[in-house]
């Protein structure tokens, strides 16, 4: 499973930086659109964003769910969600997320990571979502999710 491979790739780096990363795979498997390299890049960008957001806990989840495709038809998607307890996004910034050059990292950021995630996801007919979950002590606050159509249902 590619998602597990990516999480394993990042596991050691997270441990070295006192961060915990957990993988919660959903039931079932599916073949999705996109190249192995582009899906690896999407998941890596999401995990990197969590690390850069000073998250102590990062959770990567997968599941298969019916979602609207770009033509608003309900089709099976593999959802890949990365949740963290980092600093999150400022209130009122939702419309800027994924905009070229916009970053929460100040001079340390480039504003390219989520732009790349959205570009690679929409190229294969997928969608990109960001959600503030509401901070409870020590619980994940931000969820960034991509939905990628299952192959054959584009």
């Amino acid at each position: 499973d590619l998602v597990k491979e990516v999480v394993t790739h990042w596991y050691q780096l997270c441990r070295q930086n006192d961060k915990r990363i957990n993988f919660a795979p959903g039931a079932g498997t599916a073949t999705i659109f996109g190249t192995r390299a582009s899906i690896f890049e999407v998941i890596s960008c999401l995990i990197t964003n969590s690390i850069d957001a000073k998250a102590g806990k990062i959770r990567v989840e997968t599941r298969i769910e019916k979602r609207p495709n770009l033509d608003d038809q309900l089709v099976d998607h593999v959802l890949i969600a990365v949740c963290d307890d980092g600093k999150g996004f400022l209130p009122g910034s939702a419309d800027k997320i994924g905009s070229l050059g916009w970053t929460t990292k100040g001079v340390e950021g480039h504003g390219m990571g989520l732009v790349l995630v959205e570009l690679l996801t929409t190229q294969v007919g997928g969608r990109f979502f960001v959600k503030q979950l509401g901070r409870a002590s020590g619980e994940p606050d931000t969820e960034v999710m991509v939905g990628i159509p299952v192959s054959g249902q584009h």
Side-chain angles (χ1 to χ4, degrees), residues 15-16 22 25 51 73 88 97 146 153:
R15 279 194 50 195
Q16 290 170 353
N22 296 312
I51 292 168
Q73 298 171 319
I97 296 170
V146 295
Q153 298 192 44

Side-chain angles (χ1 to χ4, degrees), residues 72-83:
D72 288 325
Q73 298 171 319
L74 282 179
V75 298
D76 285 339
H77 282 69
V78 171
L79 299 180
I80 304 166
V82 176
C83 311

Side-chain angles (χ1 to χ4, degrees), residues 15-53:
R15 279 194 50 195
Q16 290 170 353
N17 290 289
D18 295 325
K19 299 177 186 315
R20 291 193 335 230
I21 186 167
N22 296 312
F23 178 48
T29 60
T31 301
I32 57 177
F33 281 99
T35 66
R36 187 172 178 75
S38 65
I39 302 305
F40 194 99
E41 185 66 27
V42 164
I43 301 165
S44 290
C45 281
L46 297 178
I47 293 171
T48 300
N49 259 14
S50 290
I51 292 168
D52 290 347

Side-chain angles (χ1 to χ4, degrees), residues 98-154:
S99 298
L100 186 60
W102 184 81
T103 179
T104 60
K105 299 172 192 88
V107 297
E108 295 175 9
H110 302 289
M112 294 294 295
L114 294 180
V115 172
L116 182 60
V117 166
E118 186 167 23
L119 175 70
L120 292 171
T121 302
T122 56
Q123 279 182 340
V124 296
R127 296 199 182 216
F128 166 75
F129 313 89
V130 177
K131 182 167 53 171
Q132 293 290 114
L133 302 173
R135 190 177 300 275
S137 179
E139 292 299 313
D141 183 50
T142 303
E143 177 181 70
V144 181
M145 180 171 43
V146 295
I148 301 173
V150 170
S151 184
Q153 298 192 44
H154 186 61

